[in-house]
Amino acid sequence: MTSAATAFTLAIFKPHLVKNPVAYGAVERLIESSGIRIVTRKQVHLTQPEAEQFYRDHQGKFFYRRLISLMTSGPLEVLVLSGENVVNRWRELMGPTKVFKAVYSNPECIRSLYGLTDTRNASHGSDSVASFLTEAALFFPNQEFPPNNTTTTTDNYESNGHHHQNTS
């Protein structure tokens, strides 16, 4: 397999982005125009234990309680994205975690345009394929995502009617 093989990543639109229909639509258009495919998606409202499980690697960090509070404050949109080198491509679209840095280093990225603070930075993305597998299991436990599959299109994995397919 080559590094250009189709892979998957998890994306989360944080509550303040989901609550803003203009920003939400703009981020969806950014994804579509980038050539990244939305495989499946769902809206969830995390409980505190679910948020703590998801962000367990950040436990003990100064921003942990604030992050848990944000992620349980309203509905999230959780998406599985696919495409060549999708982990890096999605992270590039999101931009730096720190909004202030994003504004100066990448003014057209999602976090620069729609992030409010370093915690309320609009979006989350898996940092590796291994992280994706762990994260996807929490949100999509009954769905399989074959790693580095170059022959299967993501259309085979569409799971609901919320996705409007970009056919271009």
Side-chain angles (χ1 to χ4, degrees):
M1 303 275 163
T2 67
S3 61
T6 299
F8 298 96
T9 196
L10 191 88
I12 297 177
F13 297 170
K14 293 183 178 181
H16 63 284
L17 182 68
V18 172
K19 291 175 189 172
N20 180 338
V22 173
Y24 179 91
V27 171
E28 284 197 320
R29 286 187 297 279
L30 277 172
I31 292 170
E32 288 177 2
S33 67
S34 75
I36 294 174
R37 311 238 357 211
I38 298 172
V39 177
T40 190
R41 66 190 324 159
K42 68 179 178 180
Q43 203 166 92
V44 299
H45 195 133
L46 291 180
T47 64
Q48 184 165 333
E50 289 169 334
E52 289 172 348
Q53 179 184 6
F54 186 78
Y55 285 109
R56 64 191 171 278
D57 291 345
H58 295 306
Q59 191 169 13
K61 295 182 180 173
F62 73 93
F63 58 83
Y64 179 72
R65 298 273 27 112
R66 190 171 54 228
L67 181 60
I68 299 304
S69 177
L70 167 70
M71 299 303 282
T72 57
S73 70
L76 312 168
E77 185 88 10
V78 183
L79 306 91
V80 173
L81 307 177
S82 75
E84 292 182 8
N85 195 22
V86 72
V87 171
N88 291 334
R89 288 171 58 209
W90 172 240
R91 292 182 71 76
E92 187 175 298
L93 269 180
M94 287 190 303
T97 301
K98 295 185 180 300
V99 171
F100 185 76
K101 181 178 180 183
V103 167
Y104 289 98
S105 68
N106 191 347
E108 299 302 312
C109 74
I110 292 165
R111 289 172 169 160
S112 177
L113 296 170
Y114 307 109
L116 304 174
T117 66
D118 292 351
T119 304
R120 296 189 309 163
N121 62 5
S123 57
H124 165 85
S126 304
D127 62 8
S128 67
V129 174
S131 292
F132 161 73
L133 293 171
T134 301
E135 294 171 355
L138 295 171
F139 294 105
F140 303 99
N142 299 319
Q143 198 160 353
E144 291 185 26
F145 303 97
N148 294 324
N149 190 331
T150 57
T151 59
T152 303
T153 65
T154 56
D155 292 346
N156 295 338
Y157 300 101
E158 297 287 340
S159 68
N160 62 42
H162 295 295
H163 174 59
H164 42 279
Q165 187 73 24
N166 182 0
T167 57
S168 58

